[in-house]
Amino acid sequence: MNEQAATKDISDEIAVQINGMHKWYGDFHVLKDINLTVNAGERLVICGPSGSGKSTLIRCINRLEEHQQGDIIVDGIELTDDLKHIDAVRREVGMCFQHFNLFPHLSVLENCTLAPIWVRKTPKKEAEETAMEFLEKVKIPDQANKFPGQLSGGQQQRVAIARSLCMKPRIMLFDEPTSALDPEMISEVLDVMIDLAETGMTMLCVTHEMGFARKVAHRVIFMDQGEIIEQNEPEEFFHNPQSDRTKLFLSQILDH
Amino acid sequence: MSTATVSSTDQGFSLLRLWRNKESRSVIIQIITVAVLFAFFAFLISNAATNLERIGKNYNFAFLWEASNYDISQTMIAYTSQSSNFQAMIVGILNTLMVAIFGIITATLLGFFMGVVRLSNNFVANRMVYCVIEFIRNVPVLLHIVLIYGIVVNVLPHPKAAMNLADTFFLSNRGLYFPAPEFGDAFIFVTISFVAGIIGAFLFARHAHKVQDDTGKALPVFWASLGFIIGLPVVVYFISGMPLEWIPATQGKFNLKGGMPLKPEFLALWLALSVYTACFIAEIVRAGIVAIDYGQTEAAHALGISSGRSTQLVIIPQALRVIIPPLTSQYLNLTKNSSLAIAVGYMDIMGTIGGVSLNQTGREMECMTIVLVLYLAMSLMISAFMNWYNSRIKLVER
Amino acid sequence: MIKTISGIAAFAAAAIVSAGVSAGTLDDVKARGELNCIVTTGLTGFAFTDENGRWDGFDASYCRGLAAAVLGSGEKVKFVPTTGKTRFTALNSGEGDALFRNTTITMSRDVDLKLTFLGVNYYDGQGFMVPNSLGVSSAKELDGASVCIQTGTTTELNLADFFRANGISYEPVAIETNEEGQTNYLAGRCDVYTTDASGLAATRATFDDPGAHTVLPEIISKEPLGPAVRQGDDQWADVVRWVLNVVVAAEELGITQANVDKLAKGTDNPSINRVLGTEGNFGELLGLDKDWAVRVIKTMGNYGENFDRNIGPSTAIALQRGLNAQWTDGGLMYSPPVR
Amino acid sequence: MSTATDTVPASGAYEPGSHPDLAPPPGTTGPIRWMKDNLFSSPLSTVLTLISVYIVYTVVTSAGSWLVLDAVISADSREACQAIDSGACWAVIVSRFNLSIYGFYPDAERWRLNLAFILLFVALGPILFDNFPARKHMMKFSMAYPVIAYFLVVGGMGLEPVSTHLFGGVMLTLVIGLTGITCSLPIGILLALGRYSKLPVMRMVCTMFIEFIRGVPLIALLFVASVMLNYFLPPGVEFDLLFRVLIMVTFFASAYMAEVIRGGLQSMPKGQFEAADAMGLTYWQAMRLIILPQALKVSIPGIVNTFIGLYKDTTLVLIIGLLDVLGIMRSSLADPKWNGLAHEVYLYTAIFFFISCFAMSRYSLYLERKLHTGHKR
């Protein structure tokens, strides 16, 4: 399956492995027999029409959603009902949401230091130093003492990325990070994500930003109706889609 | 259910593993909760049993069937001091229901009226109602009750000098006396025609709805209903030879005799509860109507719907959706507040079974159990009814 | 939730621990250093608070006397005001140690409510008060009248019986406290106020024009008023009973608040000596000390003094001794001998 | 600024953006116009205005003379009052004023109540107002306040103990109200979390508790406290009446509080829970650090309203024989010197409650407005 995993910054270590995973919402079969292996350092873009289950898939990876059948192994830890495993996985996996989900009652800095202090038990001072470091990386160190409500959408999403990075995660999940943003703010978030990609972070990204996919992804996955229809290197994927559904989807999003 | 097995890295003993497992942990927590609660209640009940035994009492409801030995002034069913405590309880329940229902009706009417005045742009009326509302709702309802009772009893004249309206209505510090109806044999026809009128009005409304759906023609539903419900019984009443007489109260040696009295205790409780609750309802109504975006009115006007119609078709249905839930809790509050009857000696549930019966028989546990169950049942019934109504108007709105 | 439960558990545990072992009431009171005495919420002359919030009155004096006997000071009393309705529960639930609240002794209260009555400190009967303006001279003429009646009292039951027996009707106006009854009666909410004759007199005394109101001649019941304690604590019952008796005995023997100190030094009258503890060891037998009676009399006076000071002819309430005179004066006040 | 008398140039005479401001045409502003709009806009409105003015006039003149002009402030008894003037006899309030505030609390110890009352405001300041100076440090004092107040009011720690049966009047009202609110808040939070929980048993237990308490009147619960609660304690254990009442009042308030807070919890976007989960916070960490701080903030107006309700409901304790401010004033009606002065006494109590409740409801409005505008900070 993972034929083209030979790019130089991808290691052989497996970051996420999903075998024969199914999920239902009540009677509705959202994910059907998902098999997916992501190596450490690999950057994956998942696309597909809305309702295709792509968000659900990455939310299964840190168990915001429970799967009902199959295995998910993240960073060598199998996701089961065992709370210790879940906690361990969540410590290693960072996530950015479509609506940022920053904590409005905490300042930007507090947002960033909360999890390191409470989950990783980092001393406050150290946590703040780390946080400032990452805030600089996302280019908003000057906003550290503001509240999320005072920032623009693009800035908020960058804070959200910094917040996740403060936990020093090994894997980052992005759930449509730019789709709630005004057009002029998309690029500032994408720039940060591209910078992040250059550090060699394992990234799973649900997005419709095909430019981004072209630029950084090792692999693009297309999902529809709960199935992985097609996966390929970006260039191949865009220029030579195999299935009809992919072609239709690409024609819709690339034409507009 | 996850079919995944617990991975082999797990060590340690199984209880810890159960605690670490998300599902079994929730089961464990719940079992512990139930066990602790059970133990707690067992503790309470065993204490109660020990204590009752210590003073030689038991827990049984046989006293309900024994004679109550006390009199009650306002009863809706036949009741004497020889009736049982159970009958006294029924009297109490009916009295509670009566004051609650009367209260809910007047509070709603008064509340809607005040709410509408609060929305009017008439400065003086608006401010005046605002002051009244603020004053009344920031003073405890118990104070209103004793204050109004004090006014009714102290300010109104003695029955000998009762305020008298056309020798039919009398108002004194012994209460408000209405004439009592006396039904002739033929009155049954009027009753039947009234019921028939309601059914007729209902059928006509359905028919009118259908006609409007089919042809677009609006039939005069309101006037027709009025004709069916009021007109028909009136006609039957005259045809059957006016089989209803109203007998006003007359002066007795001490009191007014006969008639249908509303006792001062009832009046005080009813007025206080109505006025107090009405102030809350007024604010709910105002907030409900204000909450409807002015754009809705503008949209209705833009569609050419008349002002009155737009209120009826657009504003009210939406405002009701906002108004009903808080209104429900006001109705519940009013019903529960009616238990303050005890402050003026109105014999409601708290006054009969929770008051005199409790005291004369010394059966605190039994009586309080009954009281709690009765109020709970009443509250649940009102919530159920209002929830039903709420879901209905939601449906209509869609 | 776990927190709540552990909180409740800890709380329950603390409550149990703090309770310690419950001994007899006498020991409890001594240990507490305070007597919890159940009185009425306010009845002029019998138990009421003055402007400084101090309890006073015929019944309240007994509380002070009892506290003086047990604890050495008439000030070590906590008054628990109750309505007609809450008084027995207050006693049975342990909120009060003794009930001095013009309470009628009846068989059912004694037997069914599990109280122990200790004797009579005031012989009363239920009467009716009406304004003169009604022109009523007998209770039998009250057909159709509105009657103010305190709920949860024996008077309420007597009233129902009386009207039923005479085949006349009435409108009961339920009230909770004497103060409410008085307000309602004066405002004309009811034509008649019925309660114990002593209470009627006390109430009438507070009116602007007491002469405008008549207490009707019918006394429709026997109302022997007396203190009560919880059943099953004989030692405590004895203490309260003998406080009750000793003030009557004191009046009979001529012991007064003024001369008790002098007499307590010893007299030639063995009866007085026994009462005041200079002879015999009755105090110890009761579980008190030998001066207990001296303190009682010093605190509340003898029966006659207490009566005169609070409700007697010279007070506004102006009750005559009547049945409550000493047996030597033809009354019913008769203390068993202290010997 | 030009005035209305200026000639208005024909359109096009100005460059865009250089139009002067003109005053509105006459008759569209000013007091006359205001009256037309707000008093006489239609025949119905005119009638309403006239009726209202008449009512206000009658009430103000008659009540005014009774309340103020003909009132008597100092006299020894009701008769003395009536001998002086025909209006209200405020002398009864004057003579009972201290009683109505402090109850039967010993004279020598009353400074403790005064101190506790003053400290109450110091403690409330940082809780109620965001911009309170040195808020963080003062907050610590606020947290410690209940303990301080307990010792001040009840005694202990070197202060003369004062028995609870001496409590009465305004101070009893405040004791019940404040204890009720402080204890009910944590219990209410736990109940709300329980009702919002994913565990069915927990949810059921909390829901049943909340619905039971909300379904019965407070007075019934107080009766339970006064006649039944002692039966449920182990033999020999006694709680005094005030303590039992406080337990019931706390239960009562916490059920209502739970509903208010549940509203706040429900208004939390799902994303907040998910973000907390994704960061690996435990349930209690997520609740304490993320969800509750926000949910409580949204619920503050509701919490204040619950408090107002509770505060007014403290009057009910008079029915079971505790003398709160209404109870103690009512009992002065039994004093032969003052009996028959019900109106004065009730009015005094009403004004007392009005002032305190109105102030609180204004505060709640202020908060609501602040939450609306300052939602994003």
Side-chain angles (χ1 to χ4, degrees), chain C residues 48-262:
Chain C
F48 61 96
T49 46
D50 63 16
E51 248 149 21
N52 305 317
R54 190 189 143 85
W55 283 92
D56 206 354
F58 183 77
D59 281 332
S61 292
Y62 275 96
C63 292
R64 294 190 187 281
L66 180 60
V70 178
L71 300 166
S73 162
E75 295 309 307
K76 291 185 178 169
V77 192
K78 170 182 154 184
F79 289 92
V80 181
T82 56
T83 62
K85 238 167 173 165
T86 56
R87 54 184 159 178
F88 300 126
T89 325
L91 184 61
N92 267 336
S93 67
E95 204 180 314
D97 303 310
L99 173 121
F100 283 96
R101 193 204 174 280
N102 46 327
T103 296
T104 306
I105 305 172
T106 68
M107 182 162 167
S108 71
R109 281 175 178 175
D110 197 5
V111 178
D112 191 27
L113 291 184
K114 309 297 175 192
L115 306 175
T116 295
F117 287 99
L118 307 158
V120 179
N121 67 351
Y122 190 91
Y123 288 96
D124 212 336
Q126 182 175 351
F128 297 97
M129 174 163 65
V130 290
N132 295 350
S133 57
L134 279 183
V136 175
S137 59
S138 160
K140 296 199 172 105
E141 297 166 32
L142 292 175
D143 192 12
S146 299
V147 183
C148 279
I149 174 77
Q150 241 177 302
T151 57
T153 58
T154 46
T155 49
E156 188 177 35
L157 307 182
N158 296 333
L159 183 72
D161 287 348
F162 176 78
F163 276 86
R164 197 163 65 93
N166 288 291
I168 50 181
S169 67
Y170 69 109
E171 179 208 15
V173 179
I175 50 149
E176 283 283 320
T177 60
N178 185 58
E179 164 254 307
E180 266 175 59
Q182 182 179 318
T183 322
N184 279 350
Y185 172 75
L186 284 179
R189 171 64 189 95
C190 42
D191 304 299
V192 188
Y193 185 30
T194 180
T195 183
D196 296 343
S198 64
L200 287 181
T203 306
R204 194 173 70 138
T206 67
F207 292 172
D208 290 343
D209 182 10
H213 303 270
T214 320
V215 176
L216 295 178
E218 283 95 342
I219 296 292
I220 63 167
S221 69
K222 289 189 288 187
E223 306 281 345
L225 309 182
V229 296
R230 281 183 295 277
Q231 217 169 50
D233 188 346
D234 292 342
Q235 186 190 24
W236 179 242
D238 284 343
V239 171
V240 180
R241 179 178 302 117
W242 282 97
V243 167
L244 204 61
N245 285 335
V246 81
V247 291
V248 177
E251 187 186 20
E252 188 188 342
L253 297 169
I255 310 172
T256 65
Q257 226 166 350
N259 67 15
V260 64
D261 277 330
K262 209 178 88 209

Side-chain angles (χ1 to χ4, degrees), chain D residues 172-193:
Chain D
L172 182 68
T173 302
L174 288 177
V175 164
I176 298 176
L178 290 173
T179 319
I181 203 76
T182 17
C183 299
S184 65
L185 197 57
I187 300 180
I189 291 173
L190 288 175
L191 282 172
L193 290 180

Side-chain angles (χ1 to χ4, degrees), chain D residues 192-209:
Chain D
L193 290 180
R195 195 168 183 176
Y196 202 64
S197 142
K198 289 200 188 85
L199 311 179
V201 167
M202 211 66 86
R203 208 164 50 222
M204 206 176 68
V205 168
C206 293
T207 309
M208 268 165 57
F209 178 85

Side-chain angles (χ1 to χ4, degrees), chain D residues 59-72 87-88 90 347 351:
Chain D
V59 170
V60 166
T61 49
S62 60
S65 63
W66 187 81
L67 284 170
V68 185
L69 298 179
D70 299 340
V72 180
W90 297 119
L347 213 57
I351 289 168

Side-chain angles (χ1 to χ4, degrees), chain D residues 101-377:
Chain D
I101 303 286
Y102 299 105
F104 307 115
Y105 212 80
D107 273 338
E109 307 293 333
R110 287 183 180 174
W111 62 271
R112 280 156 51 181
L113 296 184
N114 295 336
L115 182 61
F117 190 66
I118 293 165
L119 289 181
L120 171 68
F121 284 96
V122 180
L124 279 180
I127 298 178
L128 299 185
F129 300 101
D130 279 352
N131 47 4
F132 199 79
R135 187 164 184 239
K136 281 225 161 107
H137 298 285
M138 293 306 287
M139 217 52 164
K140 285 177 200 146
F141 174 74
S142 305
M143 293 298 142
Y145 177 76
V147 182
I148 300 173
Y150 173 84
F151 284 114
L152 275 175
V153 172
V154 180
M157 305 267 282
L159 290 168
E160 176 105 352
V162 177
S163 165
T164 55
H165 77 276
L166 296 175
F167 291 12
V170 172
M171 82 68 54
L172 182 68
T173 302
L174 288 177
V175 164
I176 298 176
L178 290 173
T179 319
I181 203 76
T182 17
C183 299
S184 65
L185 197 57
I187 300 180
I189 291 173
L190 288 175
L191 282 172
L193 290 180
R195 195 168 183 176
Y196 202 64
S197 142
K198 289 200 188 85
L199 311 179
V201 167
M202 211 66 86
R203 208 164 50 222
M204 206 176 68
V205 168
C206 293
T207 309
M208 268 165 57
F209 178 85
I210 293 170
E211 291 306 323
F212 171 75
I213 298 275
R214 281 159 43 92
V216 297
L218 177 58
I219 188 66
L221 291 177
L222 290 177
F223 263 105
V224 169
S226 81
V227 306
M228 250 168 99
L229 207 57
N230 270 352
Y231 284 118
F232 288 111
L233 300 174
V237 180
E238 278 168 36
F239 289 164
D240 77 4
L241 182 61
L242 179 62
F243 189 49
R244 280 180 271 150
V245 164
L246 287 178
I247 294 179
M248 279 303 170
V249 165
T250 304
F251 278 174
F252 185 75
S254 48
Y256 283 82
M257 203 68 89
E259 285 302 273
V260 171
I261 294 167
R262 190 170 68 115
L265 287 177
Q266 276 168 342
S267 74
M268 280 299 105
K270 217 173 131 220
Q272 294 288 314
F273 294 87
E274 285 178 351
D277 275 352
M279 290 167 91
L281 295 175
T282 65
Y283 175 79
W284 290 106
Q285 280 175 340
M287 285 301 159
R288 189 158 63 91
L289 300 168
I290 310 294
I291 305 301
L292 283 176
Q294 300 181 58
L296 286 180
K297 195 164 177 194
V298 182
S299 326
I300 290 178
I303 292 175
V304 176
N305 285 336
T306 310
F307 184 40
I308 298 175
L310 173 67
Y311 185 77
K312 283 186 290 179
D313 280 345
T314 53
T315 49
L316 308 197
V317 300
L318 83 90
I319 292 178
I320 55 163
L322 285 180
L323 297 172
D324 78 318
V325 59
L326 177 57
I328 215 160
M329 289 315 284
R330 210 172 177 220
S331 74
S332 41
L333 294 177
D335 185 336
K337 284 203 304 191
W338 301 112
N339 85 46
L341 295 176
H343 291 94
E344 285 86 345
V345 162
Y346 291 150
L347 213 57
Y348 165 71
T349 325
I351 289 168
F352 162 75
F353 274 105
F354 175 73
I355 291 173
S356 32
C357 294
F358 188 69
M360 284 189 275
S361 67
R362 287 285 104 174
Y363 173 73
S364 143
L365 273 185
Y366 151 83
L367 272 183
E368 250 164 275
R369 227 169 280 144
K370 213 175 75 170
L371 280 177
H372 267 285
T373 53
H375 204 53
K376 294 215 154 158
R377 283 215 258 195

Side-chain angles (χ1 to χ4, degrees), chain B residues 96-300:
Chain B
T96 292
L97 286 178
M98 174 155 122
V99 80
I101 291 169
F102 270 62
I104 284 175
I105 294 170
T106 40
T108 310
L109 294 177
L110 197 59
F112 271 76
F113 173 73
M114 291 201 293
V116 169
V117 175
R118 282 284 281 128
L119 284 167
S120 86
N121 54 7
N122 185 305
F123 180 80
V124 185
N126 191 329
R127 286 285 109 177
M128 187 177 75
V129 172
Y130 169 76
C131 290
V132 169
I133 289 177
E134 283 299 327
F135 185 77
I136 290 179
R137 65 185 205 148
N138 281 308
V139 169
V141 65
L142 179 61
L143 192 49
H144 287 301
I145 295 173
V146 291
L147 186 60
I148 293 186
Y149 186 63
I151 292 173
V152 170
V153 165
N154 287 301
V155 177
L156 292 182
H158 194 266
K160 293 268 187 259
M163 291 185 217
N164 175 346
L165 186 70
D167 275 335
T168 33
F169 302 98
F170 297 93
L171 181 64
S172 73
N173 66 1
R174 300 282 164 83
L176 178 58
Y177 282 71
F178 289 98
E182 197 175 84
F183 302 105
D185 294 336
F187 193 75
I188 185 77
F189 297 118
V190 181
T191 317
I192 292 171
S193 66
F194 179 67
V195 174
I198 290 178
I199 296 171
F202 179 72
L203 292 176
F204 181 78
R206 266 187 31 181
H207 170 71
H209 203 81
K210 201 163 166 288
V211 168
Q212 196 179 13
D213 283 353
D214 291 350
T215 66
K217 216 171 74 181
L219 297 180
V221 177
F222 176 76
W223 294 110
S225 307
L226 210 64
F228 273 116
I229 297 173
I230 310 252
L232 187 65
V234 168
V235 172
V236 174
Y237 172 69
F238 282 106
I239 292 174
S240 61
M242 298 192 275
L244 173 67
E245 263 187 288
W246 293 94
I247 314 229
T250 51
Q251 284 287 353
K253 182 172 174 199
F254 297 101
N255 267 323
L256 291 158
K257 269 191 195 157
M260 268 200 317
L262 294 179
K263 296 286 165 69
E265 290 77 25
F266 173 83
L267 284 176
L269 192 63
W270 173 42
L271 284 178
L273 290 176
S274 308
V275 170
Y276 183 75
T277 313
C279 290
F280 288 89
I281 293 179
E283 286 302 289
I284 290 170
V285 168
R286 191 178 75 95
I289 293 176
V290 167
I292 304 308
D293 190 1
Y294 189 65
Q296 294 285 324
T297 319
E298 286 178 339

